Amino acid sequence: MQKRYLSTKEATVYLGFAPKSNILSVMRMPKNKDRYPNPPEYIKLENGSARYDTLKLDEWMQSHPFYNHE
């Protein structure tokens, strides 16, 4: 059974980026808002970490074919 909510590293791999890439963290940074205006939706936890819903990641990939890993 596949997990529904993924850590940043897990979501990075799920999207087809290199495992050591920090692209999702970079996309979340306010200073990069102009460069990445529509990053994947995420949930910010109390400890500051992020979780990504696989359903939202699938929607994001469909609307951003450049990033689509299929």
Side-chain angles (χ1 to χ4, degrees), residues 28-39:
R28 289 195 311 260
M29 291 179 185
K31 69 179 185 179
N32 293 325
K33 204 146 189 82
D34 291 336
R35 189 170 181 191
Y36 302 105
N38 298 307

Side-chain angles (χ1 to χ4, degrees), residues 3 9 13-14 22 27 31 34 41-42 45 48 50 58-59 61:
K3 289 169 51 173
K9 286 187 177 205
V13 172
Y14 184 83
N22 66 346
M27 287 180 170
K31 69 179 185 179
D34 291 336
E41 211 174 299
Y42 66 95
L45 303 179
D58 290 339
E59 289 174 11
M61 281 190 291

Side-chain angles (χ1 to χ4, degrees), residues 8 12 14 23 32 37 43 54 60 66 69:
T8 300
T12 298
Y14 184 83
I23 187 66
N32 293 325
I43 300 165
T54 55
W60 184 84
F66 177 78
H69 72 302

Side-chain angles (χ1 to χ4, degrees), residues 3 6-7 13 19 29 31 40 49 57 70:
K3 289 169 51 173
L6 306 177
S7 68
V13 172
M29 291 179 185
K31 69 179 185 179
S49 63
L57 290 175
E70 295 186 81

